[in-house]
């Protein structure tokens, strides 16, 4: 298949089960770059076997890690995927057709639509999991990732087109994976809040869970996806309140930051 002057950039840590599918879904990328933060499984070997150039980089946080990856790419145009994401054949075809004109323009970036597979099946109604628009294709001279440790975003000026076909996200193969991810993401978000000196507002806590649950379950249509929708809304609400309680603990008991980092690292969660 003809290649295009594009780098597929993926950040990894113990993604042996996913990385081959991710890399193989972008056969037209002239370069495939994997930035690995210390995997102790077969991630690196599998990535290399599937045509990727692998670099090691100690974990910096999601935003800084993506910005580091940007500096290591051989091409100005970059497609970012997580290891548990992959292009559908329809999106791969659309990208091949539209990329030459996009690259020849002054467009800073493009949005892709993400479809989520949760508990083994696609979500059909829950709005954030059905066609969620995400800026994942960009020119590195015209866009930059935020420096947030988690929930990073791509910043750029001007307008960006949205492609029609989706890419897939296999969102946490089990509920156990999801709960571990909640712990990790909450810890990273709280450290960002700590760095910024965010005020502690525990008076919000009694309302946070209920409002977060209702937002996802009713207004974002999670209830239409049955019990899977209930679980995804419940997990989102639990995350919303847990990170506030954890931040309160960090402020009131600063030594808990290091102690938590130690136990999370011991279980392979903190990086």
């Amino acid at each position: 298949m003809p290649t295009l002057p594009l780098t597929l950039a993926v950040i990894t840590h113990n993604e042996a089960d996913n990385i081959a599918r991710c890399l193989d879904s972008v056969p037209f990328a002239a370069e495939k770059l994997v930035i690995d933060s210390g995997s102790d499984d077969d991630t690196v070997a599998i990535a290399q076997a599937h045509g990727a150039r692998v670099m090691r980089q100690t974990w910096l946080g999601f935003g800084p890690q993506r910005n580091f990856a940007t500096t290591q790419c051989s091409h100005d145009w970059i497609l970012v995927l997580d290891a548990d994401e992959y292009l559908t054949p329809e999106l791969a075809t659309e990208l091949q057709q539209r990329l030459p004109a996009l690259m020849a323009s002054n467009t800073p970036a493009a949005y892709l639509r993400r479809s989520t597979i949760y508990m083994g099946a696609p979500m059909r109604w829950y709005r954030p999991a059905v066609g969620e628009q995400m800026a994942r294709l960009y020119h590195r001279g015209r866009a930059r990732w935020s420096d947030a440790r988690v929930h990073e975003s791509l910043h750029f000026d001007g307008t960006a087109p949205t492609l029609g076909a989706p890419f897939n996200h296999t969102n946490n193969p089990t509920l156990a994976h999801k709960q571990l991810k909640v712990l990790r993401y909450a810890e990273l978000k709280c450290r960002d809040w700590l760095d910024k000196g965010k005020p502690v507002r525990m008076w919000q806590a009694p309302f946070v869970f209920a409002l977060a649950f209702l937002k996802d379950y009713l207004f974002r249509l999670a209830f239409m996806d049955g019990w899977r929708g209930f679980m995804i809304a419940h997990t989102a609400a639990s995350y919303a309140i847990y990170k506030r309680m954890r931040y309160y603990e960090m402020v009131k008991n600063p030594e808990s930051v290091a102690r938590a980092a130690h136990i999370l690292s011991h279980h392979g969660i903190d990086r």
Side-chain angles (χ1 to χ4, degrees), residues 114 116 123-133 151 171 178 208-226 228-240 243:
R114 185 169 76 171
T116 295
M123 298 297 285
R124 298 299 186 189
W125 294 95
Y126 177 54
R127 302 323 301 162
V130 182
E132 179 184 15
Q133 293 188 21
H151 305 314
N171 182 28
K178 181 63 176 177
V208 165
F209 182 90
L211 291 175
F213 180 83
L214 289 173
K215 180 180 72 174
D216 275 0
Y217 194 64
L218 292 181
F219 298 110
R220 292 180 169 178
L221 304 183
F223 73 95
M224 297 285 288
D225 278 304
R228 290 188 306 135
F230 177 87
M231 292 175 190
I232 207 167
H234 187 280
T235 302
S238 298
Y239 169 68
K243 66 185 176 183

Side-chain angles (χ1 to χ4, degrees), residues 62-67 144-155:
F62 280 98
Q65 196 82 352
R66 293 201 195 280
N67 281 324
R144 186 182 188 279
W145 293 94
S146 66
D147 289 322
R149 287 187 176 95
V150 69
H151 305 314
E152 73 286 4
S153 59
L154 188 66
H155 294 174

Side-chain angles (χ1 to χ4, degrees), residues 8 27 29 46 50 53 121 149 189 196 221:
L8 167 64
I46 293 171
H50 286 260
R53 175 167 63 94
R149 287 187 176 95
K189 189 64 176 178
K196 296 174 182 177
L221 304 183

Side-chain angles (χ1 to χ4, degrees), residues 11-115:
I11 58 176
T12 59
H13 182 261
N14 289 343
E15 293 287 355
D17 292 339
N18 297 313
I19 189 61
R21 180 182 56 194
C22 174
L23 295 173
D24 291 348
S25 74
V26 194
F28 53 84
E31 179 185 46
K32 299 177 183 181
L33 174 66
V34 167
I35 304 296
D36 187 78
S37 56
S39 293
D40 54 16
D41 62 3
D42 293 330
T43 297
V44 170
I46 293 171
Q48 291 171 334
H50 286 260
R53 175 167 63 94
V54 179
M55 296 187 65
R56 302 272 191 172
Q57 171 59 49
T58 302
W59 183 243
L60 303 170
F62 280 98
Q65 196 82 352
R66 293 201 195 280
N67 281 324
F68 172 79
T70 296
T71 67
Q72 304 304 307
C73 295
S74 300
H75 301 283
D76 286 334
W77 277 95
I78 300 167
L79 171 64
V80 165
L81 292 176
D82 290 336
D84 61 354
E85 298 170 340
Y86 58 97
L87 301 189
T88 59
E90 294 80 9
L91 180 55
T93 298
E94 184 178 1
L95 281 167
Q96 287 177 274
Q97 293 171 348
R98 297 184 61 178
L99 273 172
L102 190 66
M103 290 176 170
S105 72
N106 292 322
T107 302
Y111 290 97
L112 307 182
R113 300 180 187 273
R114 185 169 76 171
S115 178

